[in-house]
Structure formats: structure tokens, C-alpha cells
Amino acid sequence: MKNIIIFGAPGSGKGTYSDEIVAKYNMGHISTGDVLRGEIKNGTELGKIAKGYIDNGQLIPDELMIDILAKTYDSLPKGQGVIFDGFPRTIAQAEALKKMLSERGDDMGMMIELVVDEETLLARLLNRAIEQGRADDNEVTIKKRFEVYHNQTAPLADWFEKEGIRNTFTWNGTKEAMLADIYACIDKNN
Ligand code: AMP
């Protein structure tokens, strides 16, 4: 299995589709948001640093994130493919991921971009706040996260385009139809 980078705004479904893809293809899964929330829950030093950024809707500094990513990647079984969910979020992270993988004889595989209109994103995140109680799913922090996404993360789509691995999927109203298109893309690229 090739690696997959799942890319999109907060609320675009990265976590939801990752879970489905992981179950279908038996891949490894790195969600940097989940890693950070785990550190916060366990009260680690890293968790204490991360909490300040997450609660404000800001990105954790690149150096720290790149280190966490490499350690998490190295802890996973090899040869099954990994889905990167929530990483990279900046050009520096993308360059670092490419380098880290090539040093290990691996590559980025394919990028799957989820495009969803902002009204739908906001409704999903507010709903998630009720269902999951995530501290950063409140209206003020959500707005900040959208701003960070537009300024720092969205420009990465062109970077992936230049790498020749960008595959874009625009929300079409049902999860099943989105998944069918995504699976077809994964199968074609493997
Ligand atoms: P997520 O669960 O992917 O929405 O991430 C939640 C929060 O964790 C983000 O708003 C950031 O504060 C932080 N975070 C997750 N992944 C990254 C990353 N690759 N770079 C910087 N910050 C991150």
C-alpha cells in the first residue's frame, strides 16, 4: 500500500474518511491532532505546550511537530502504508515529511484533498462540539482555525499539485458517494 496524505479544512472529514480507509486497507494511521490530544490527556510536558496552541486555534511550531511525526511514523509497522491525517499543515512540514520519508526509502504516495463549503464545515464542527465536546470546537476558535487554514495550510494544495500527487474530492452530499470516489482513486494509484 502506498502512503496517503489526507488534506482539508477543519471539519472536512479527514478523521472520518481516514478511519474508513484504515479499516478497508489495513493501513497505519497518524492523526497529529489525536497524538496531541493524547499528550494533553496524559498531562505530559508536550501536552502542556500543545494545549496553549490548540485552545487558541493556532498551529504547534513546525520543529516540534516534525519531531513528533517522525517518532510516531517510526513506531508503526513497516510495509502497510500510512495515512497522514492533519499533517502536513505548512510548507515546512511538507518539505520535512518528504525528506523524512525519502531518508527511510519511502515516499508520500498520494494526496487526497477534501473540499467542503464553509457553511457545511461550520455546521459540522458545531455539531461535533455537542457530540464529542472537543474544547477547540467553539465558534471563536473555529473561526481562528479557518483563518489559519486559509493562510498557512491551503497554499499547500499547490505544493502537492507540483509534486504531481494531488487528488481533489468535492463534497457531493453523501459520505458513501465520496468514499466510493476515494476508494477508486486509491485503487488506481496503488
Ligand atoms: P486536528 O485534530 O487535526 O483538527 O488538530 C487539532 C489542533 O491540533 C490544530 O488546530 C492544531 O492546534 C494542532 N495540530 C494538529 N496537527 C498539527 C500540525 N500538523 N501542525 C501544527 N499543529 C497541529
Side-chain angles (χ1 to χ4, degrees):
M1 269 307 289
K2 286 198 177 162
N3 293 323
I4 298 174
I5 293 159
I6 193 150
F7 183 87
S12 59
K14 297 188 294 296
T16 305
Y17 293 117
S18 292
D19 288 344
E20 301 281 355
I21 295 167
V22 164
K24 182 171 164 70
Y25 295 95
N26 191 28
M27 302 177 70
H29 181 199
I30 302 178
S31 157
T32 45
D34 282 351
V35 172
L36 296 168
R37 283 184 287 276
E39 296 284 335
I40 294 173
K41 204 167 153 222
N42 292 331
T44 65
E45 275 312 304
L46 174 59
K48 282 177 199 148
I49 299 170
K51 189 173 177 1
Y53 291 99
I54 293 182
D55 287 353
N56 285 313
Q58 289 169 325
L59 297 183
I60 276 74
D62 284 336
E63 267 170 56
L64 199 56
M65 274 325 295
I66 290 163
D67 196 39
I68 295 168
L69 196 272
K71 282 198 184 108
T72 312
Y73 176 83
D74 287 335
S75 73
L76 293 177
K78 297 286 156 286
Q80 285 178 226
V82 171
I83 180 157
F84 296 93
D85 160 11
F87 190 102
R89 268 175 150 101
T90 63
I91 304 269
Q93 290 183 13
E95 300 280 6
L97 177 65
K98 189 178 169 186
K99 181 163 170 276
M100 189 275 282
L101 291 170
S102 95
E103 282 167 1
R104 289 158 174 77
D106 203 352
D107 65 34
M108 293 185 294
M110 68 195 95
M111 177 268 217
I112 289 177
E113 177 185 25
L114 304 170
V115 178
V116 182
D117 62 277
E118 202 150 300
E119 202 184 319
T120 306
L121 293 174
L122 184 60
R124 285 184 187 174
L125 291 169
L126 291 173
N127 190 46
R128 188 167 74 183
I130 298 164
E131 285 178 356
Q132 297 177 14
R134 247 178 74 165
D136 58 345
D137 283 343
N138 62 76
E139 206 150 350
V140 174
T141 312
I142 290 169
K143 288 267 152 67
K144 180 77 198 158
R145 284 156 63 206
F146 283 164
E147 205 182 297
V148 167
Y149 177 77
H150 287 302
N151 293 336
Q152 301 186 55
T153 306
L156 255 181
D158 283 341
W159 186 92
F160 284 109
E161 178 86 42
K162 288 193 193 105
E163 292 287 322
I165 60 168
R166 178 182 183 185
N167 301 279
T168 303
F169 300 87
T170 303
W171 173 240
N172 59 18
T174 74
K175 182 179 152 188
E176 288 67 30
M178 289 287 285
L179 268 177
D181 290 348
I182 290 171
Y183 291 157
C185 170
I186 295 173
D187 293 338
K188 193 182 96 205
N189 281 289
N190 260 292

